[in-house]
Amino acid sequence: MVAAWGDLIVDGRSRALDHALLGLVPDGPGQATFELTRPLARFDGKLFGGTAIAVAVALAEVETARPSLWTTVQFIAGDTTLGDRFRCTTEVLAEGRSAAQVRVTAHVDGREVFCALGATAHRKPERVEATFERFPSVPAPETAAPFQLPIPAALRAEASKALRNIEMRSAPPLEGSPAPATHLTLWARVPGHPATPAVMAYLADMVPLSIARAARRAGGGTSIDNTMRFSGAEADEWILLELDPHLASGGYGHGGVLVWSPSGELLATGGQTASLLLFD
Amino acid sequence: MVAAWGDLIVDGRSRALDHALLGLVPDGPGQATFELTRPLARFDGKLFGGTAIAVAVALAEVETARPSLWTTVQFIAGDTTLGDRFRCTTEVLAEGRSAAQVRVTAHVDGREVFCALGATAHRKPERVEATFERFPSVPAPETAAPFQLPIPAALRAEASKALRNIEMRSAPPLEGSPAPATHLTLWARVPGHPATPAVMAYLADMVPLSIARAARRAGGGTSIDNTMRFSGAEADEWILLELDPHLASGGYGHGGVLVWSPSGELLATGGQTASLLLFD
């Protein structure tokens, strides 16, 4: 449905800023490209996992003209670098009245580097609307202190060159907050960008950090996959990431994330598996 | 790695019962088939979601000779029926020393009906081993009462013909259990089968039920995807499913699951999105 690329409107909401953030360029039916620039890369210049899932969400939405419901991205090759051009193919595998099934594959120089599965869906009116999780009480984003990613000494020189467009603030739970102590709560935004599904996916790629923190170790990890599930609601800018580390075992870790609006609406939930890199 | 099909041993553990349960038949390099029989189908004769993810886990393991780390399966076509033969292709997309990346696609009569992404991995020794979730206190499986799926009147005649190999028992939390009241805890097993990753995936396809229960409605839903993440540990037979419904919105629902051994070891975690079918 390449026509949708003209205006980048999905169920009445503009996705133009998503496409600008990710540098997505249409390249024929079901085809698009983006270049791995500094803001879309990790400190070491490789593809940032949040970029890949955001690209998959944005392409699935624009090719089906429906908002994202769920997306999982699999990281196949880790040896991408700044300046690489990613060629993305979006296949619409099935289309019903409400939901569509999509697969997005991305290649660099003919090698497949990530693959994503997902569904998009027009939400139905007059259905059960309910949230079964509890909003953590935390300081408001406007008054919260900046959050600095813990960076190992060996990467600090590289990190100082990074040019990221993500802002994070500490959101330690207030007295009486319902979340367990292992959960890590952080405010996040791309300044000036509404928290669409693509932007939420871009920001939420933080599970390995929460696993390292819960294990009382410095470090993080390399994502093996990244999964996001969306409620259909969006936020103006700030979102609260409530990271829920599950376990660490044999060099790998699993965890989840709840994504909240500042007013306490559950916008998305997710999960991730990572190869852990724990120091000290 | 078709050689592994000879003995069906993965990291020293037999997968022969997994393949017997699923009726998997090798059919050339990277190819396998299974037939949709009564025990592998839903009440209405369509493919049971747990069957699809179990097949994907089992094929990824045997093709890479490594135990499953994570798998997501996407349901593309829902119009399968008893007697259909599913032709599965397993692509090994990347292989490192520890982890391998895999994609499994299944076709019936040339139509793609499900697609799965996943990783398998030899676990590494002397790494951080930690669980950040709390085991719910529930009655032991041996003393627990049978659990009956809530079945709408229109499906009861069909359900009575079902020939499933899954046994479930109620596991209501005991006084002081740490889990929130929205969580649904159930013992599950395939009698006589160890709880391998494939069997855990087969049993854990229950998130829609927990969403309906939390919303205080009868019903369930149709899975859109099913994601499982494994610790590397397995259980003899019984596992405890701790279902964690996240939200219901616009006709869709999301939720998670924690899979525990009877002794309180966290074996796996998962997530699922479903199209909800809520009655009354």
Side-chain angles (χ1 to χ4, degrees):
Chain A
M1 206 165 154
V2 176
W5 278 79
D7 48 14
L8 297 171
I9 302 290
V10 170
D11 269 8
R13 288 185 277 209
S14 174
R15 299 308 197 211
L17 284 175
D18 288 353
H19 286 244
L21 176 71
L22 301 167
L24 283 168
V25 181
D27 191 31
Q31 304 292 320
T33 74
F34 71 96
E35 183 188 329
L36 185 54
T37 54
R38 266 271 174 222
L40 302 177
R42 305 191 316 198
F43 297 144
D44 60 5
K46 292 181 176 174
L47 178 68
F48 168 56
T51 300
I53 188 166
V55 162
V57 166
L59 292 176
E61 288 193 329
V62 77
E63 290 290 342
T64 62
R66 302 167 205 224
S68 183
L69 177 64
W70 146 72
T71 298
T72 293
V73 63
Q74 171 185 46
F75 301 101
I76 300 167
D79 57 347
T80 51
T81 188
L82 290 174
D84 279 349
R85 182 151 292 275
F86 287 65
R87 302 193 174 277
C88 304
T89 301
T90 307
E91 298 167 81
V92 180
L93 303 168
E95 270 189 303
R97 272 177 307 170
S98 304
Q101 296 291 344
V102 178
R103 178 167 50 215
V104 179
T105 48
H107 291 77
V108 171
D109 293 335
R111 290 175 308 119
E112 186 171 355
V113 289
F114 68 81
C115 178
L117 306 177
T120 58
H122 300 301
R123 303 311 199 269
K124 300 166 196 166
E126 295 175 36
R127 301 298 174 112
V128 172
E129 300 289 327
T131 294
F132 310 114
E133 305 290 343
R134 292 173 70 193
F135 183 52
S137 19
V138 298
E142 295 76 15
T143 61
F147 175 78
Q148 296 295 341
L149 277 175
I151 296 165
L155 287 178
R156 267 175 217 149
E158 278 303 310
S160 68
K161 289 186 241 155
L163 185 70
R164 297 302 304 277
N165 41 29
I166 291 176
E167 185 181 351
M168 302 197 109
R169 295 193 185 170
S170 279
L174 300 171
E175 184 87 17
S177 180
T182 53
H183 286 200
L184 172 60
T185 39
L186 297 171
W187 290 108
R189 67 173 173 179
V190 179
H193 284 248
T196 59
V199 167
M200 288 188 247
Y202 184 69
L203 292 170
D205 182 28
M206 301 286 287
V207 163
L209 174 73
S210 74
I211 295 173
R213 175 178 167 276
R216 299 172 193 279
R217 301 286 286 267
T222 305
S223 302
I224 286 179
D225 82 295
N226 204 336
T227 295
M228 292 292 289
R229 309 175 184 284
F230 300 100
S231 73
E234 303 179 12
D236 291 339
E237 196 181 50
W238 284 110
I239 55 173
L240 182 71
L241 304 178
E242 181 183 353
L243 297 153
D244 173 14
H246 294 154
L247 66 87
S249 182
Y252 298 92
H254 308 303
V257 60
L258 302 175
V259 179
W260 300 93
S261 78
S263 63
E265 190 171 12
L266 185 56
L267 304 174
T269 70
Q272 208 172 351
T273 292
S275 174
L276 298 179
L277 290 164
L278 302 181
F279 308 100
D280 67 25
Chain B
M1 207 168 156
V2 175
W5 278 80
D7 49 13
L8 297 172
I9 302 290
V10 170
D11 268 9
R13 288 186 275 210
S14 173
R15 299 308 197 213
L17 284 175
D18 288 352
H19 287 245
L21 176 71
L22 301 167
L24 283 168
V25 182
D27 191 31
Q31 304 292 321
T33 74
F34 70 96
E35 184 189 329
L36 185 55
T37 55
R38 266 272 175 221
L40 302 178
R42 305 190 316 197
F43 297 143
D44 60 6
K46 293 181 175 173
L47 178 67
F48 169 55
T51 300
I53 187 165
V55 163
V57 165
L59 292 177
E61 287 192 330
V62 76
E63 291 290 341
T64 62
R66 304 167 202 222
S68 183
L69 176 64
W70 145 72
T71 298
T72 293
V73 63
Q74 171 184 46
F75 302 100
I76 300 167
D79 57 346
T80 51
T81 189
L82 290 173
D84 279 349
R85 182 151 291 275
F86 287 64
R87 302 192 172 278
C88 304
T89 301
T90 306
E91 298 167 81
V92 180
L93 304 168
E95 270 190 303
R97 272 177 307 170
S98 304
Q101 296 290 344
V102 178
R103 180 167 48 214
V104 179
T105 48
H107 291 77
V108 171
D109 294 335
R111 289 174 310 119
E112 187 171 355
V113 290
F114 68 81
C115 178
L117 306 177
T120 57
H122 300 301
R123 302 314 197 269
K124 300 166 195 167
E126 295 176 36
R127 301 300 173 112
V128 172
E129 299 288 328
T131 294
F132 311 113
E133 306 289 342
R134 294 173 70 192
F135 183 52
S137 18
V138 297
E142 295 76 16
T143 60
F147 174 79
Q148 296 296 341
L149 276 175
I151 296 165
L155 287 177
R156 267 175 217 149
E158 277 304 309
S160 68
K161 290 185 241 158
L163 185 69
R164 297 304 302 278
N165 41 28
I166 292 177
E167 184 181 353
M168 302 197 109
R169 294 195 184 169
S170 278
L174 300 172
E175 184 88 17
S177 179
T182 53
H183 287 199
L184 173 60
T185 39
L186 296 171
W187 290 109
R189 68 173 174 180
V190 179
H193 284 249
T196 59
V199 166
M200 288 188 245
Y202 184 69
L203 292 169
D205 182 29
M206 302 286 287
V207 163
L209 174 73
S210 74
I211 295 172
R213 174 178 168 275
R216 299 171 191 282
R217 301 286 285 268
T222 306
S223 302
I224 288 179
D225 82 295
N226 204 335
T227 295
M228 292 292 288
R229 309 175 184 284
F230 300 99
S231 73
E234 302 178 13
D236 291 339
E237 196 180 49
W238 284 110
I239 55 172
L240 182 71
L241 304 178
E242 180 183 353
L243 297 152
D244 172 13
H246 294 154
L247 66 86
S249 182
Y252 298 92
H254 308 303
V257 60
L258 301 175
V259 179
W260 301 94
S261 78
S263 63
E265 189 171 13
L266 185 56
L267 304 174
T269 70
Q272 208 173 351
T273 292
S275 173
L276 298 179
L277 290 164
L278 302 180
F279 308 100
D280 66 25

